[in-house]
Amino acid sequence: MPAAQGYIFLIAGLSSGMTGGGSLWDSARQTLWASLNTAPPPSVAYPTCGPSKLGWNINPCCSSSQVPVAQLSPGFSRLPWTRGLLIMKLLAHILCLCLALALAYSHHDHGSAVIDRCEGLEMDAVAVNEEGKPYFFHGDHLFKGFHGLVELSNESFSELDDHHHLGHVDAAFRMHYEDSQADHDHMFFFLDTKVFSYYKHKLEDGFPKDISEVFPGIPDHLDAAVECPKPECDEDSVIFFKGDDIYHYNVRTKAVDEKEFQSMPNCTSAFRFMEHYYCFHGHKFSKFDPKTGEVHGRYPKEARDYFMRCSKFGEDADHGERERCSRVHLDAVTSDGAGNIYAFRGHHFIRKDGASDVLKGDTIESAFKELHSEVDAVFSYQDHLYMIKDDEVFVYKVGEPHTHLEGYPKPVKEELGIEGPIDAAFVCEDHHIAHIIKGNHIFDVDMSATPHTASNEREIAVLHKIDAAMCGPGGVKAIVGNHYYHFESPLLMIASKALPDQHKVSLELFGCDH
């Protein structure tokens, strides 16, 4: 197939970075004429345009009434030359199409690299996955969790593009309906008139379907949706939002109850998290009652203060209020001998006074300037804070201000006898053992011995990963996400076969009621 050879050459040239210059044209022309067993007219000039003599446009950059000016050879009228012009004209258009597609993909990839949730983006939809991790959708992009890089939504939910051009997700929620395992814990996505049902990132058979088929009485082109299990709602329900209209959908009976939430703004997305309900509007949010729509307290609030880790945002904000109520998990926490609690998250920390319960927040750099930010683990030992970041240990003498000890930072291996990184660490009151946690394994380091060595490795069976931990007179608090688990001792934490009750970090550690 002679024409195919020229086509393949053009595509290969494009992928090699030759985007349509004369050299690419000439090379393709030579290959084409060779395939036709005909010598090409040597005098055809590619770059310039002139009046058409045949009505053919060889150069795609010329108008349809022009062709490149050429001093044509005497053999111009031979059939192979005529056929060559036709084929070359077709290939030129293919080349332009390929170039346009390449530029489009280049622009698309570039766009995904610059999207930053801390710029005040409006989220189209928010939902929690089966493991409790929130997914924030913006256009055709997805943010997983409260911090981290953006990715394309179709990398996790490829069928969204297969069945529907994914420019956005209108609404999303995770179903809570324990009476029907066919729907419970499934994630539902709404795009224009269609609904997709996913379970563990796999599209369910038969989907996508019309919204009216799966949720009769619910309109198309939704703004937001959020699950509302009983007793938070009277029945297991889903709340749908479209403009000023609110629809309570009963999952069991499929009945729809239209309501008015007069005190709420129009939601661009909605979110249930830690048994609270949030309506996002732009980059602001309001906490609302799912039954009445009432908004209590000082709202709206800035989403970047509470649902995102943004190091350069809100430097003039009330750090104590933001950090005690933030839904972003803690990086590290510890309590000193006086009962004061230090909790670290991103670039900020809060200190809770052990005597008065007064909370103060600030940037890590303001109090621990050598450390700057992003702590992995912290423990307190003999009026010193041992602060672990990556593969280094920083040590500060507790006081006002905290004093950085000379000779630090030191490598984690040198100071604690164990390789980093470390997930969490704690020392219990009046003890010399630093308990070091990596994944779901715990090690003991005797701080009274020299040199420090890690020993007595054991598995924590009930917790696969711990974000932060501290030990006080009441025992150990192991923090996972936005909750903590209380154990009376390190030994009981290791030996437990079942998890104790969950406690809310923001409410029960820091007194945040919203």
Side-chain angles (χ1 to χ4, degrees):
M1 297 176 64
Q5 296 177 23
Y7 173 77
I8 292 170
F9 189 92
L10 285 172
I11 301 303
L14 181 62
S15 66
S16 302
M18 301 191 301
T19 55
S23 61
L24 171 63
W25 182 267
D26 290 342
S27 299
R29 189 169 66 95
Q30 295 290 340
T31 301
L32 181 62
W33 285 110
S35 71
L36 296 173
N37 296 318
T38 307
S43 55
V44 175
Y46 169 76
T48 58
C49 299
S52 173
K53 295 183 180 180
L54 296 175
W56 300 329
N57 178 7
I58 298 176
N59 183 348
C61 300
C62 297
S63 70
S64 60
S65 62
Q66 294 177 320
V67 292
V69 174
Q71 299 297 322
L72 299 176
S73 67
F76 170 77
S77 60
R78 291 178 296 173
L79 179 60
W81 162 234
T82 305
R83 182 174 57 184
L85 279 176
L86 285 170
I87 295 173
M88 291 178 71
K89 177 188 174 184
L90 175 62
L91 296 182
H93 284 289
I94 293 172
L95 172 62
C96 285
L97 177 61
C98 292
L99 178 59
L101 289 172
L103 289 174
Y105 271 96
S106 174
H107 175 74
H108 183 72
D109 290 342
H110 176 69
S112 66
V114 299
I115 291 180
D116 182 358
R117 72 175 89 198
C118 294
E119 294 297 323
L121 300 178
E122 177 180 293
M123 297 300 172
D124 299 321
V126 187
V128 178
N129 74 355
E130 301 90 342
E131 299 173 350
K133 177 179 285 190
Y135 283 6
F136 297 87
F137 294 86
H138 173 76
D140 58 355
H141 289 79
L142 169 63
F143 297 93
K144 292 182 177 179
F146 297 114
H147 59 93
L149 299 178
V150 67
E151 63 181 59
L152 289 171
S153 302
N154 59 17
E155 292 179 9
S156 294
F157 305 98
S158 60
E159 295 89 354
L160 293 176
D161 257 352
D162 294 341
H163 294 273
H164 193 288
H165 176 63
L166 181 61
H168 65 285
V169 173
D170 291 330
F173 73 91
R174 186 186 69 173
M175 179 69 79
H176 186 99
Y177 186 38
E178 294 180 347
D179 291 342
S180 172
Q181 292 304 311
D183 294 318
H184 183 62
D185 268 349
H186 287 227
M187 295 184 74
F188 288 85
F189 299 95
F190 298 83
L191 285 76
D192 298 330
T193 64
K194 299 294 183 181
V195 59
F196 295 71
S197 174
Y198 280 87
Y199 185 64
K200 295 183 178 179
H201 288 77
K202 292 183 179 180
L203 185 67
E204 292 292 290
D205 292 341
F207 283 87
K209 297 180 180 180
D210 289 339
I211 294 174
S212 59
E213 179 184 348
V214 183
F215 300 96
I218 300 303
D220 299 332
H221 302 284
L222 294 163
D223 292 328
V226 62
E227 72 279 9
C228 187
K230 61 182 180 183
E232 295 163 27
C233 280
D234 294 332
E235 298 286 345
D236 288 320
S237 305
V238 181
I239 307 172
F240 293 96
F241 302 79
K242 182 172 181 176
D244 295 325
D245 298 323
I246 311 297
Y247 304 85
H248 271 241
Y249 180 85
N250 187 311
V251 177
R252 180 177 59 84
T253 66
K254 300 187 182 298
V256 178
D257 184 13
E258 294 191 39
K259 296 191 176 184
E260 291 186 9
F261 285 179
Q262 294 182 351
S263 62
M264 275 180 59
N266 290 348
C267 302
T268 55
S269 58
F271 183 34
R272 174 181 177 263
F273 193 66
M274 295 175 64
E275 293 79 50
H276 293 297
Y277 291 79
Y278 303 95
C279 164
F280 289 84
H281 33 97
H283 52 84
K284 303 282 187 178
F285 75 94
S286 298
K287 178 174 169 256
F288 68 95
D289 185 315
K291 294 182 181 180
T292 66
E294 292 180 353
V295 176
H296 301 288
R298 294 178 296 168
Y299 289 96
K301 297 181 186 290
E302 172 59 62
R304 288 170 288 184
D305 276 340
Y306 296 89
F307 291 98
M308 304 172 193
R309 179 181 290 176
C310 299
S311 60
K312 297 181 181 179
F313 175 76
E315 294 302 320
D316 298 326
D318 183 343
H319 298 305
E321 167 68 12
R322 179 186 64 229
E323 292 303 314
R324 77 188 185 102
C325 294
S326 175
R327 287 0 182 205
V328 181
H329 72 76
L330 294 174
D331 295 326
V333 64
T334 191
S335 57
D336 62 23
N340 303 312
I341 294 177
Y342 299 83
F344 300 83
R345 179 189 288 112
H347 288 245
H348 298 85
F349 80 101
I350 51 177
R351 178 182 179 273
K352 182 179 180 181
D353 188 275
S356 64
D357 283 344
V358 172
L359 281 150
K360 293 183 179 179
D362 212 332
T363 62
I364 292 175
E365 191 167 14
S366 67
F368 308 97
K369 66 178 182 179
E370 295 82 5
L371 191 64
H372 184 59
S373 65
E374 303 285 345
V375 184
D376 293 331
V378 177
F379 66 88
S380 175
Y381 177 66
Q382 294 185 341
D383 295 326
H384 288 78
L385 293 177
Y386 286 72
M387 309 181 74
I388 303 167
K389 176 174 179 163
D390 299 327
D391 293 319
E392 294 183 313
V393 179
F394 298 73
V395 180
Y396 289 84
K397 173 71 175 176
V398 175
E400 294 293 342
H402 304 297
T403 305
H404 183 244
L405 294 196
E406 214 174 299
Y408 288 89
K410 293 181 179 179
V412 170
K413 178 66 175 176
E414 177 184 335
E415 181 65 18
L416 299 175
I418 188 172
E419 297 286 352
I422 306 299
D423 292 321
F426 62 90
V427 173
C428 292
E429 193 175 31
D430 299 328
H431 287 261
H432 299 285
I433 301 298
H435 301 280
I436 308 298
I437 298 173
K438 296 182 63 170
N440 67 334
H441 285 77
I442 187 167
F443 303 80
D444 291 345
V445 177
D446 188 346
M447 299 299 292
S448 65
T450 303
H452 298 154
T453 58
S455 61
N456 198 19
E457 178 182 357
R458 289 150 295 170
E459 183 180 0
I460 305 172
V462 293
L463 293 170
H464 297 295
K465 187 179 187 304
I466 297 174
D467 293 318
M470 67 178 182
C471 187
V476 180
K477 291 182 175 66
I479 298 174
V480 180
N482 299 280
H483 297 86
Y484 71 85
Y485 302 91
H486 178 257
F487 301 90
E488 292 185 4
S489 69
L491 182 60
L492 287 177
M493 180 178 73
I494 296 165
S496 291
K497 301 300 182 183
L499 280 173
D501 292 338
Q502 281 187 341
H503 299 269
K504 297 176 182 178
V505 171
S506 58
L507 175 63
E508 298 179 62
L509 278 188
F510 302 126
C512 177
D513 61 354
H514 60 272

